[in-house]
Amino acid sequence: MYKIFFLLSKEHLRVVFFFSRPEKKTKKKKEKEIRVGFFQLFRFATTTDIIMMVIGSVCSLVHGAAQPLMLFIYGLMTDTFIAFEKETQALNDPNKICVNGSIGWKNGSEYLYDNETLSCGINIEVEMTQFAYYYVAIGVIVLVLSYFQISLWVIAAARQIQIIRKEYFRKIMRLEIGWFDCNSVGELNTRISDDINKINHAIADQVAIFIERISTFVFGFLIGFIGNWKLTLVIVAVSPLIGLGAGLMALAVGKLTGRELQAYAKAGSVADEVLSSIRTVAAFGGEKKETERYDNNLVEAQTWGIRKGTIIGFFQGYMWFIIFLCYALAFWYGSKLVTETKELSPGSLLQVFFGVLVAAMNLGQASPCLEAFASGRAAATTIYETIEKNPVIDCMSDEGHKLDQVKGVIEFHDVNFHYPSRPDIKILQDLNIAVKPGETTAFVGASGSGKSSAIQLIQRFYDPTDGKVTLDGHDIRTLNIQWLRSLMGVVEQEPVLFATTIAENIRYGRDKVTMDDIINATKEANAYNFIMDLPQKFDTLVGEGGGQMSGGQKQRIAIARALVRNPKILLLDMATSALDNESEAVVQQALDKVRIGRTTISIAHRLSTVRNADIIVGFDNGQAVEKGTHEELLKLKGVYFTLVTLQSQQNTPEDAAVGKDIVAEKQRTFSRGSYQTSFRNTLRLRSKSQLSNMFPDAVSGNLSVMLPSGLDDAEDQDDSIVSKKKEKKSMKKPKTSVVARVLKYNAPEWPYLLSGSLGAAVNGTLSPLYAVLFSQILGTFSLPDEAEQRRQINGICLLFVIIAIVSLFTQFLQGYAFAKSGELLTRRLRRLGFQSMLGQEIGWFDDNNNSPGALTTRLATDASQVQGATGSQIGMIVNSLTNIGAALIIAFYFNWKLSLVVLCFLPLIGFSGAIQAKMLTGFANQDKKALEDAGKVSSEAISNIRTVAGLGKEPMFVEMYEKQLEMPFKAAIKKSHVYGACFGFAQCVIFMAYAASFRFGGYLVNVDGINYTIVFRVIAAIVTSGTVLGRVSSYTPDYAKAKIAAAQFFKLLDRVPKSSIYSTDGEKWDNFKGDLEFVNCKFTYPSRPVTMVLRGLNVSVKSGQTLAFVGSSGCGKSTSVQLLERFYDPDEGTVLVDGRATTNVNISFLRSKIGIVSQEPILFEGSIADNIRYGDNNRDVSMEEVIAAANKAFLHEFVMSLPDKYDTNVGVQGSQLSRGQKQRIAIARAIVRDPKILLLDEATSALDTESEQTVQAALDKARQGRTCIAIAHRLSTIQNCDIIAVMSQGVIIEKGSHEELMALRGAYYKLVTTGASIS
């Protein structure tokens, strides 16, 4: 029964945790309200499942009664020991003898003890053997019941979850595409894994455990009231105090956590704001300033965190205080009932006392189950609603006609359309088009004009909101959907390949395809040759999302997949736009070959691919505004004409030469795929760190793993050898343990850690002391002298009161000290982490894993999880060690023989404690890992749902998914037996330990003549320390989480950026002039290593001159500005400033000389004055300077008209101001730094005419006497520049002044005369 003491303590800790997680509560509020009743969770149960659950519940009920029943036996056993002790004491007097079962004087007269005769003749060993049998019997029954209780519930749940998973996935695959637009892929994948696991958690073992605990609660109280109603009521009367403590603590912790989160939310929003606008921060050198601002916001969160820890410590102390006082009261009043009114025997006193405690404790332990039920119901709400949903367009239905003959006439009749996810934005308006059979129709127009949407309507991914789309005169809504899609072959801009072999990917095109069909299709698609060059030919794996193939190779496999269907209608959605010139030529050739005789609709941005279409339709704002042939449309001078004008310029001689170079460079090993070479070059140019961000494999040197075919050049092998050597070197570095490092960061708080550990040590010794006092009380009941008895009992109760007071202080100390050290550590780590993030090069932020959202979350969660490895964890360890140490010392001091016997059970009791701790998280949660393979199938299908739908492969994915579920399901059934057995074992260990220990105790009392109190003392001490062992293991998950979080965090802190803003290295010089030159710069973005943005940029500008870049979007204008700012470094070539290569110049120095005004200027939350001051973060900018800069930027008058003038808050990202106002603040900010170089990145493009004139005037003024690079949107704004450079595809095709370029009559002349907009 000593276990109860400890479980109780564990319970209060849990109550604490249960209440101190309001973060979860706030989440709950946000979650949709729960619309599924508890019993509705079981709606997928079959009759077999229901029978299993009923039997399981009965087992739980009976099992619940076992603990109270054991108390009953325990009481009888205690009475037997006491009676034996009294008999032994009486018979120690030589004048007394045992006659006919009662003690008398030798002279034959009766011996009365407390006016009663004393029975004798107790054979303690026989009695104890009898009790041992009872214990073993209960243990065996418990083992069997627990096994059935858990395994039946877990099996029933696994069977239901299997059905839910299948039903859910089947339904998702049936739903229309519009539904997927409104539900993000990530969210659906989480639902399939996490939400269904939550349902599993709610309908599996947690139900059984809940029933068992409620049953124990009822039986415990029953035993109490049957034993003695007075004592029961006294104990029950005290319990509200514990409840009150728990309630107050919950309130306080909830409130403080709320405050802490609010305070942290401020810091989080600073982090988010800064990381979202990292380029602005870097350009203006604001890193140190932002780190300070973030840190100042952390102070408040830290204060609230410390208060929270202190209050938790205080209330834990308060609860122990009440519990120990409750012991004192119960034993004091109970002993009165035993000795004075004789209403109770000592045994029934224990029965009543522990009965009520067990009942209360089990009620407390039922609370986590309720939490599981609630989150299961919340999860089921969305899952079950989806399962019941009726799809608007059901792709698996058999309804609808199938036409006998298909000509391929497609017509749009007055079609209006908006996407379900954006009902307020009209995409198509009154669209009327007729596509004739066998002809090629091209859709052209600016992006967003509705071309792709029209194609999606033909595939019936969506239905039009008004009007209709017809095929051969039949409304496609009346046709069978699988049949309709089987007529179409689709090739998209970014074709999706599935993670399997090339042959399998092509087979997805049509069921029952022979190998010959596949080969023919690849030949038609110009893919056969490159496939045969691969080592595994058609069995080559294409990698996740086709990642092992180049763009051109993927496109051609996708075309082969479309052709294998032998489609009547071919839909080409920008099928060649993502390719380089040469792959494009190959793919285009393939497309031209396969279009013949099919109705083809092609969307293209590159007009060379559209020229030879039979009819061209120009789209604008969702309407077909022009149609005709190439020649007819050129005469119209409309949408098509503008596009042609812009693109035909790229064929000037210089460009052609560049083009040839590129092709020549690419053709070096064309037989092995043009992509390979360019990719290898790009790889060589990338530094290790970026590579490792993109491809973890690359770091260890197995580049060949990722490339399409083995690269066997000597130079590649050299590369991989070098990288392997580096790898080895890095592995040799001594790896300090994560925990040691965390402690190092926590070192300044050593006084707190020390005093916290002291408190924990004292707390650890209190429970073994309890065991001593408890056995002492039992000892008093056998004392013959009543006064002595009373005195001893009062003394012991007083000791309980002292222990209560001590524990109040030490718990408080432990709570406060560790909270303080933990919060200080968290703040320190957050600051370091944030500082380290701001110090990374800009390319690092392009990686999706480092998006502002992800980084902010990392700061919020990782840093606070690291606490779990120090502070409270140290407390737990110290507490447990002193506890076990003290217990063993006490036990061995009093009786080493019995200690050894009980000690044999210690590991088992510890193990049982661990399993019970695991129970709290539920066995059902363990199966997440097993489902990963099924998760891959589902996420592949969901992420590429359009491709899956277009190919009509939904049923195949459903089948694959269900096949993947079989293994985990079988494993879950197998595991359920293991869980059941473990749980049963954990439950019955304690009974077996009692049976053995007390039987041996009886032997020692009889043979060695030790006092029975020692038996109780030794057993109590060791059993309580055993449960502590178990409790420690329940903290390991926190510890593991902390280690993982810390490892991730240190990875960030240890990362060496390619160009560090904090470093002092690099050149600086005094007379900075501002001459700029780009020499043969080539560059690709780290996040898109296959697309070359700059392909040999050459241009220079002298100090004081203005250079303007002109060109269509994506040609590399903004990129060149970013190279100058050193956000990136060129892969080849150099950028020179005053004749020095930027890579050798100190970054902070270089950036301090540059002012930038971008198209969408980013302002930070704060006043207008602060935002202008942000221009120079290296000094304090005076108000006079701010006003002077504002005057130059034509901003001063506007600011003075505001009520708060320069103190006006601009709102988050400047949301309170108009674009023109923001733009002028940005200009003032750039002027304040007094830069030598001014960069204007489309600074006026987003403005209306009036603002534009003002801003333009401000810019013209700001340019005076500075080197300036302007990227222009409207040609009128750059006519007075010194040099105008026209860019196309990463190179400059013309440069000179406005007059020179007009005289050339080239690209620039055409742009100016037609008045077309660029981009």
Side-chain angles (χ1 to χ4, degrees):
M1 262 353 320
Y2 319 105
K3 167 173 146 194
I4 289 168
F5 172 80
F6 258 84
L7 282 176
L8 190 70
S9 67
K10 185 152 72 173
E11 216 22 68
H12 285 297
L13 285 174
R14 173 124 22 77
V15 171
V16 172
F17 285 126
F18 187 56
F19 284 124
S20 65
R21 281 193 301 218
E23 294 108 301
K24 280 207 176 156
K25 284 194 186 166
T26 48
K27 245 190 215 163
K28 281 271 160 60
K29 279 182 197 159
K30 279 186 205 160
E31 269 180 29
K32 289 183 187 155
E33 65 276 28
I34 298 175
R35 289 189 290 276
V36 174
F38 177 67
F39 289 104
Q40 284 173 299
L41 284 175
F42 302 96
R43 68 169 71 166
F44 292 99
T46 59
T47 323
T48 321
D49 298 336
I50 292 172
I51 292 170
M52 283 162 104
M53 292 190 294
V54 168
I55 297 173
S57 305
V58 172
C59 291
S60 301
L61 269 175
V62 181
H63 176 194
Q67 217 178 358
L69 180 67
M70 171 174 130
L71 284 176
F72 196 68
I73 293 169
Y74 190 79
L76 293 176
M77 184 181 75
T78 312
D79 284 343
T80 310
F81 266 126
I82 290 177
F84 179 71
E85 177 62 23
K86 283 181 180 170
E87 176 190 339
T88 315
Q89 283 179 2
L91 292 177
N92 280 348
D93 183 340
N95 296 324
K96 294 174 195 151
I97 51 165
C98 183
V99 184
N100 303 330
S102 61
I103 292 181
W105 296 100
K106 275 193 179 161
N107 60 16
S109 61
E110 261 188 330
Y111 165 69
L112 294 179
Y113 179 88
D114 261 357
N115 297 326
E116 287 175 11
T117 54
L118 261 187
S119 58
C120 66
I122 300 172
N123 182 338
I124 192 75
E125 288 199 52
V126 173
E127 292 285 337
M128 284 304 134
T129 309
Q130 192 59 45
F131 283 120
Y133 286 147
Y134 288 149
Y135 278 133
V136 171
I138 295 179
V140 171
I141 293 169
V142 164
L143 176 67
V144 176
L145 289 175
S146 315
Y147 165 73
F148 281 115
Q149 151 194 348
I150 295 291
S151 59
L152 288 176
W153 271 98
V154 173
I155 291 173
R159 291 169 50 123
Q160 292 167 64
I161 291 298
Q162 186 76 341
I163 297 171
I164 293 175
R165 280 188 206 283
K166 287 181 177 175
E167 288 289 322
Y168 186 60
F169 188 66
R170 207 172 290 160
K171 179 51 62 83
I172 286 186
M173 294 316 280
R174 287 183 90 128
L175 286 168
E176 68 281 2
I177 302 287
W179 185 80
F180 286 92
D181 295 344
C182 306
N183 291 282
S184 74
V185 175
E187 198 182 320
L188 290 176
N189 286 331
T190 335
R191 270 190 216 157
I192 285 184
S193 58
D194 296 3
D195 284 11
I196 294 185
N197 276 338
K198 279 182 193 156
I199 301 178
N200 192 0
H201 190 35
I203 63 175
D205 46 344
Q206 290 293 317
V207 188
I209 287 166
F210 183 72
I211 295 173
E212 175 207 325
R213 287 184 176 152
I214 294 301
S215 150
T216 308
F217 167 69
V218 174
F219 282 108
F221 265 119
L222 269 180
I223 277 209
F225 278 109
I226 291 169
N228 186 291
W229 61 270
K230 289 183 191 169
L231 182 57
T232 305
L233 286 180
V234 168
I235 299 170
V236 171
V238 183
S239 10
L241 286 175
I242 297 181
L244 180 75
L248 281 175
M249 174 161 141
L251 271 177
V253 168
K255 228 177 189 165
L256 289 173
T257 306
R259 296 268 174 84
E260 185 186 8
L261 287 178
Q262 239 172 357
Y264 183 68
K266 273 190 212 158
S269 70
V270 169
D272 198 45
E273 184 181 31
V274 171
L275 294 167
S276 309
S277 27
I278 186 70
R279 282 177 164 75
T280 309
V281 175
F284 289 105
E287 290 89 354
K288 289 197 175 73
K289 191 176 197 167
E290 296 303 354
T291 309
E292 287 305 315
R293 183 159 75 113
Y294 179 67
D295 193 45
N296 292 339
N297 276 306
L298 290 177
V299 178
E300 198 186 341
Q302 171 192 309
T303 318
W304 289 115
I306 294 172
R307 281 190 196 168
K308 182 173 86 174
T310 312
I311 283 191
I312 290 182
F314 171 74
F315 275 111
Q316 274 187 336
Y318 165 79
M319 283 184 191
W320 278 114
F321 179 67
I322 298 292
I323 289 172
F324 279 121
L325 288 184
C326 179
Y327 285 157
L329 176 67
F331 284 130
W332 180 79
Y333 180 64
S335 61
K336 256 187 157 34
L337 294 178
V338 173
T339 54
E340 290 173 18
T341 60
K342 303 273 189 294
E343 288 174 43
L344 273 177
S345 72
S348 36
L349 162 65
L350 294 185
Q351 234 163 290
V352 174
F353 179 58
F354 284 129
V356 177
L357 272 187
V358 165
M361 179 189 81
N362 273 280
L363 189 62
Q365 280 184 327
S367 57
C369 300
L370 294 175
E371 200 180 354
F373 299 153
S375 63
R377 285 170 53 204
T381 303
T382 41
I383 301 271
Y384 288 0
E385 280 172 10
T386 306
I387 291 178
E388 283 162 9
K389 199 174 173 56
N390 283 325
V392 182
I393 304 173
D394 184 352
C395 60
M396 292 192 196
S397 89
D398 300 326
E399 293 167 15
H401 308 301
K402 300 180 180 179
L403 307 179
D404 298 332
Q405 245 185 333
V406 178
K407 289 194 218 130
V409 183
I410 298 171
E411 290 172 296
F412 285 78
H413 302 271
D414 297 325
V415 170
N416 284 314
F417 174 66
H418 59 71
Y419 284 107
S421 54
R422 300 195 300 276
D424 45 337
I425 302 172
K426 260 205 160 166
I427 304 289
L428 299 177
Q429 300 182 28
D430 302 325
L431 180 66
N432 285 296
I433 308 176
V435 177
K436 295 180 186 152
E439 282 192 355
T440 296
T441 306
F443 290 176
V444 297
S447 56
S449 57
K451 309 182 298 291
S452 296
S453 305
I455 280 197
Q456 299 202 44
L457 290 181
I458 298 172
Q459 288 179 272
R460 212 177 153 212
F461 284 170
Y462 303 95
D463 285 336
T465 29
D466 288 310
K468 60 179 180 179
V469 181
T470 61
L471 171 66
D472 293 355
H474 297 266
D475 185 333
I476 61 171
R477 283 176 286 203
T478 61
L479 302 174
N480 177 285
I481 194 162
Q482 287 279 12
W483 173 83
L484 172 71
R485 288 179 185 166
S486 71
L487 301 175
M488 301 178 188
V490 187
V491 184
E492 299 148 306
Q493 175 181 6
E494 297 259 325
V496 170
L497 300 185
F498 296 99
T500 167
T501 62
I502 294 179
E504 273 305 306
N505 266 297
I506 297 173
R507 218 171 253 133
Y508 280 6
R510 182 163 57 97
D511 297 336
K512 307 192 180 103
V513 175
T514 63
M515 201 61 207
D516 294 342
D517 295 339
I518 292 180
I519 290 172
N520 290 336
T522 50
K523 282 181 176 162
E524 278 188 41
N526 282 355
Y528 183 71
N529 293 348
F530 94 77
I531 294 175
M532 296 316 280
D533 286 342
L534 298 170
Q536 276 120 6
K537 309 204 169 29
F538 279 96
D539 294 332
T540 307
L541 287 170
V542 300
E544 189 87 20
Q548 309 289 350
M549 300 282 134
S550 75
Q553 292 168 341
K554 269 162 69 169
Q555 265 318 5
R556 284 177 277 162
I557 294 172
I559 293 171
R561 179 173 66 190
L563 293 180
V564 106
R565 298 169 78 83
N566 193 10
K568 290 276 190 296
I569 301 166
L570 200 56
L571 305 174
L572 308 173
D573 188 351
M574 302 215 257
T576 60
S577 66
L579 309 179
D580 52 63
N581 294 350
E582 180 201 347
S583 317
E584 182 183 7
V586 179
V587 172
Q588 194 54 50
Q589 210 178 335
L591 291 174
D592 292 342
K593 212 162 45 176
V594 301
R595 287 199 322 229
I596 302 157
R598 296 189 163 101
T599 306
T600 305
I601 297 180
S602 162
I603 295 181
H605 271 182
R606 298 201 182 163
L607 302 179
S608 51
T609 58
V610 176
R611 244 176 215 155
N612 44 10
D614 300 307
I615 201 153
I616 297 169
V617 181
F619 273 71
D620 193 30
N621 284 333
Q623 291 172 315
V625 289
E626 52 189 34
K627 49 179 126 224
T629 60
H630 174 69
E631 286 73 23
E632 291 166 7
L633 292 184
L634 281 182
K635 288 174 195 150
L636 276 178
K637 295 215 166 178
V639 175
Y640 186 66
F641 174 76
T642 310
L643 292 167
V644 172
T645 313
L646 274 173
Q647 294 197 3
S648 56
Q649 299 316 314
Q650 298 172 0
N651 303 338
T652 52
E654 191 181 336
D655 185 39
V658 172
K660 271 185 204 151
D661 287 352
I662 292 167
V663 172
E665 180 186 323
K666 286 237 168 91
Q667 260 174 345
R668 278 209 326 245
T669 54
F670 180 54
S671 63
R672 282 220 239 83
S674 59
Y675 160 77
Q676 217 168 287
T677 341
S678 67
F679 190 45
R680 184 181 324 114
N681 291 342
T682 343
L683 282 183
R684 181 142 308 115
L685 303 166
R686 292 269 155 279
S687 82
K688 278 273 169 71
S689 69
Q690 271 166 327
L691 254 184
S692 60
N693 281 347
M694 282 173 359
F695 313 108
D697 301 349
V699 178
S700 54
N702 4 352
L703 287 179
S704 53
V705 176
M706 304 166 323
L707 295 182
S709 57
L711 300 182
D712 42 17
D713 306 27
E715 69 179 323
D716 270 285
Q717 289 176 352
D718 292 350
D719 258 24
S720 93
I721 290 165
V722 169
S723 69
K724 275 191 176 144
K725 278 184 188 162
K726 277 192 188 167
E727 181 70 8
K728 276 188 185 160
K729 261 190 199 162
S730 70
M731 281 168 72
K732 277 181 197 164
K733 278 186 193 160
K735 195 168 174 287
T736 52
S737 91
V738 178
V739 185
R741 250 188 98 169
V742 175
L743 283 175
K744 210 160 153 192
Y745 279 108
N746 216 170
E749 284 77 52
W750 70 266
Y752 292 113
L753 290 173
L754 186 68
S755 53
S757 304
L758 263 171
V762 176
N763 287 334
T765 50
L766 292 182
S767 34
L769 278 178
Y770 154 82
V772 175
L773 296 182
F774 165 72
S775 56
Q776 208 50 44
I777 280 188
L778 291 183
T780 57
F781 292 127
S782 63
L783 292 176
D785 180 1
E786 220 168 282
E788 175 63 19
Q789 207 173 9
R790 196 73 257 147
R791 200 178 58 73
Q792 282 202 17
I793 287 174
N794 290 347
I796 293 168
C797 290
L798 188 66
L799 279 174
F800 268 126
V801 175
I802 293 170
I803 287 187
I805 294 167
V806 171
S807 75
L808 177 67
F809 282 110
T810 52
Q811 290 279 359
F812 173 71
L813 177 69
Q814 187 181 343
Y816 167 72
F818 286 130
K820 179 99 178 175
S821 70
E823 289 297 326
L824 287 167
L825 172 73
T826 304
R827 175 182 163 197
R828 183 171 300 124
L829 286 178
R830 277 182 178 153
R831 183 193 165 115
L832 285 169
F834 186 62
Q835 197 173 340
S836 166
M837 282 172 188
L838 293 188
Q840 303 300 333
E841 75 275 7
I842 300 292
W844 185 74
F845 293 93
D846 295 342
D847 182 350
N848 273 341
N849 300 330
N850 303 325
S851 65
L855 293 177
T856 321
T857 318
R858 233 184 273 177
L859 282 173
T861 53
D862 282 5
S864 57
Q865 279 181 348
V866 171
Q867 269 195 43
T870 66
S872 48
Q873 189 69 27
I874 298 177
M876 272 308 305
I877 292 169
V878 172
N879 192 322
S880 315
L881 288 178
T882 50
N883 190 322
I884 292 168
L888 291 180
I889 290 170
I890 289 173
F892 277 96
Y893 172 73
F894 284 107
N895 191 296
W896 62 269
K897 290 183 191 168
L898 182 58
S899 300
L900 287 176
V901 172
V902 188
L903 214 52
C904 298
F905 286 93
L906 189 66
L908 296 179
I909 293 171
F911 173 67
S912 118
I915 286 187
Q916 286 176 336
K918 195 131 200 104
M919 256 164 46
L920 301 177
T921 57
F923 291 124
N925 264 4
Q926 317 292 311
D927 303 335
K928 277 188 188 167
K929 269 278 180 282
L931 289 161
E932 275 180 3
D933 291 339
K936 278 183 192 147
V937 174
S938 64
S939 78
E940 188 169 40
I942 294 170
S943 334
N944 309 320
I945 187 70
R946 281 184 162 71
T947 308
V948 174
L951 295 168
K953 279 291 162 212
E954 297 95 342
M956 188 198 80
F957 271 98
V958 169
E959 200 178 310
M960 270 167 62
Y961 181 70
E962 293 185 356
K963 208 153 128 201
Q964 289 289 359
L965 285 178
E966 280 311 306
M967 281 296 294
F969 174 62
K970 285 179 184 153
I973 299 290
K974 265 190 203 152
K975 276 186 190 166
S976 67
H977 299 297
V978 179
Y979 293 149
C982 284
F983 179 70
F985 173 75
Q987 295 293 318
C988 80
V989 160
I990 194 85
F991 293 97
M992 302 307 174
Y994 279 167
S997 319
F998 279 116
R999 171 66 190 82
F1000 185 63
Y1003 165 79
L1004 290 175
V1005 168
N1006 194 21
V1007 177
D1008 288 10
I1010 64 170
N1011 192 314
Y1012 70 97
T1013 54
I1014 289 176
V1015 177
F1016 280 92
R1017 186 167 302 165
V1018 170
I1019 295 175
I1022 295 184
V1023 171
T1024 45
S1025 66
T1027 40
V1028 169
L1029 263 181
R1031 195 169 94 216
V1032 174
S1033 68
S1034 73
Y1035 276 80
T1036 42
D1038 279 357
Y1039 181 61
K1041 257 194 221 153
K1043 273 180 78 166
I1044 294 168
Q1048 275 182 333
F1049 214 78
F1050 292 140
K1051 201 159 125 195
L1052 170 69
L1053 296 184
D1054 296 340
R1055 186 176 185 277
V1056 180
K1058 288 177 53 195
S1059 49
S1060 169
I1061 182 74
Y1062 301 124
S1063 96
T1064 47
D1065 305 342
E1067 299 180 49
K1068 301 179 183 180
W1069 60 97
D1070 293 338
N1071 51 350
F1072 189 97
K1073 293 204 276 297
D1075 295 343
L1076 303 177
E1077 189 175 358
F1078 289 88
V1079 184
N1080 196 21
C1081 288
K1082 293 186 180 175
F1083 176 69
T1084 53
Y1085 280 104
S1087 52
R1088 300 194 299 278
V1090 187
T1091 333
M1092 220 178 204
V1093 185
L1094 297 181
R1095 308 181 174 212
L1097 176 66
N1098 285 300
V1099 65
S1100 63
V1101 53
K1102 291 272 166 288
S1103 109
Q1105 284 187 324
T1106 299
L1107 160 70
F1109 281 128
V1110 185
S1112 59
S1113 62
C1115 69
K1117 308 185 297 290
S1118 299
T1119 307
S1120 50
V1121 168
Q1122 301 206 44
L1123 291 185
L1124 186 61
E1125 278 272 15
R1126 269 202 82 188
F1127 289 164
Y1128 303 95
D1129 289 331
D1131 298 335
E1132 280 181 36
T1134 42
V1135 181
L1136 300 175
V1137 177
D1138 287 0
R1140 298 169 167 87
T1142 50
T1143 42
N1144 304 333
V1145 179
N1146 178 284
I1147 295 192
S1148 322
F1149 170 75
L1150 175 65
R1151 289 183 186 162
S1152 70
K1153 302 294 180 194
I1154 302 176
I1156 187 166
V1157 182
S1158 45
Q1159 177 179 0
E1160 282 282 329
I1162 287 177
L1163 303 182
F1164 296 103
E1165 194 173 1
S1167 69
I1168 294 179
D1170 287 341
N1171 270 291
I1172 296 177
R1173 283 198 184 99
Y1174 203 88
D1176 197 338
N1177 287 310
N1178 296 330
R1179 59 193 177 92
D1180 281 336
V1181 179
S1182 68
M1183 200 61 208
E1184 288 72 38
E1185 288 177 87
V1186 170
I1187 293 171
N1191 271 319
K1192 284 184 192 159
F1194 294 101
L1195 174 73
H1196 184 67
E1197 283 176 20
F1198 152 70
V1199 176
M1200 295 316 280
S1201 69
L1202 297 169
D1204 295 338
K1205 312 221 169 11
Y1206 280 96
D1207 293 332
T1208 307
N1209 192 337
V1210 301
V1212 176
Q1213 298 199 332
S1215 52
Q1216 304 293 322
L1217 303 173
S1218 75
R1219 281 179 135 169
Q1221 294 157 353
K1222 276 162 59 172
Q1223 213 39 303
R1224 281 176 284 162
I1225 293 178
I1227 294 170
R1229 176 171 69 186
I1231 294 173
V1232 150
R1233 341 172 39 100
D1234 189 19
K1236 290 283 185 276
I1237 302 169
L1238 192 59
L1239 306 177
L1240 308 174
D1241 189 353
E1242 301 198 15
T1244 60
S1245 66
L1247 309 179
D1248 53 66
T1249 328
E1250 195 180 335
S1251 323
E1252 182 176 6
Q1253 285 168 351
T1254 319
V1255 171
Q1256 193 55 48
L1259 289 173
D1260 290 341
K1261 201 165 172 186
R1263 284 195 331 223
Q1264 290 161 10
R1266 295 188 168 100
T1267 310
C1268 179
I1269 294 185
I1271 293 174
H1273 200 75
R1274 301 183 197 171
L1275 299 179
S1276 57
T1277 60
I1278 55 161
Q1279 294 183 356
N1280 53 1
C1281 292
D1282 303 301
I1283 307 167
I1284 295 171
V1286 183
M1287 277 182 95
S1288 173
Q1289 295 193 336
V1291 288
I1292 286 176
I1293 51 176
E1294 299 180 344
K1295 63 178 172 220
S1297 67
H1298 175 68
E1299 291 72 23
E1300 288 165 8
L1301 292 179
M1302 290 305 279
L1304 260 181
R1305 291 184 159 258
Y1308 183 74
Y1309 170 77
K1310 268 199 178 164
L1311 289 173
V1312 174
T1313 49
T1314 58
S1317 70
I1318 313 168
S1319 79

